Amino acid sequence: EVDGDDAQRSPVDPAGEAAGAVTGAYAAATALIVVTGAAHSLLGERLILRRLDVASLPPTPFGGGNVTEVLVRAAWHLWTAALLVMAGATGSCAAVGPSDACRAVGWVTAGSFASFLAIVLALALFRRSPRLLLTHPAPLLFAVVAALAWWGAS
């Protein structure tokens, strides 16, 4: 005789467990990307962009220091927008589960964040500023997001 509780338990589903790991990795990556984007935009605006001295910025072929300030601000926030687009893609994959499309999203996200990390490492090396790697959270965040996205895509 089968116990009523045993009859309602589902059998072990390794594919389901793997799907849970994938969606969990994507969900964690999404959360970190959103936090990174929000911090980049809000803290960058407050601590860096607002402190730019327009009069001391060099002119560009498009205009004076005020145009340079607009270009810097636009580039800053465009990068934040790109982060949020990646968060939307990885978040969608966390919601729908494994698929070929989500595997591609994972590889693109992992490659992007690995590239961001490589740029930070190169800057620290060429500027002889290894302290930068320990004083700013970006290198660790980039590495963790790259690893989570890679795990989700694998």
Side-chain angles (χ1 to χ4, degrees):
E1 181 176 317
V2 177
D3 182 61
D5 287 343
D6 287 339
Q8 293 184 10
R9 289 186 193 145
S10 61
V12 175
D13 179 11
E17 290 175 17
V22 167
T23 58
Y26 282 148
T30 300
L32 287 174
I33 296 168
V34 168
V35 167
T36 301
H40 182 265
S41 187
L42 299 173
L43 294 175
E45 184 68 41
R46 183 172 176 213
L47 301 175
I48 296 170
L49 297 175
R50 286 186 189 167
R51 295 179 180 189
L52 290 176
D53 179 17
V54 175
S56 67
L57 292 174
T60 70
F62 307 107
N66 60 333
V67 173
T68 303
E69 187 266 342
V70 168
L71 292 172
V72 169
R73 188 177 301 274
W76 190 277
H77 291 297
L78 284 171
W79 193 75
T80 300
L83 286 176
L84 296 178
V85 168
M86 279 191 276
T90 56
S92 295
C93 290
V96 301
S99 69
D100 288 342
C102 286
R103 192 169 298 107
V105 166
W107 289 122
V108 168
T109 303
S112 296
F113 277 84
S115 297
F116 302 156
L117 178 59
I119 291 167
V120 171
L121 293 173
L123 286 172
L125 174 70
F126 291 127
R127 293 193 179 251
R128 294 187 173 97
S129 302
R131 186 171 160 262
L132 169 71
L133 301 174
L134 302 173
T135 58
H136 195 282
L140 178 61
L141 282 168
F142 293 164
V144 171
V145 171
L148 287 167
W150 174 79
W151 181 22
S154 296

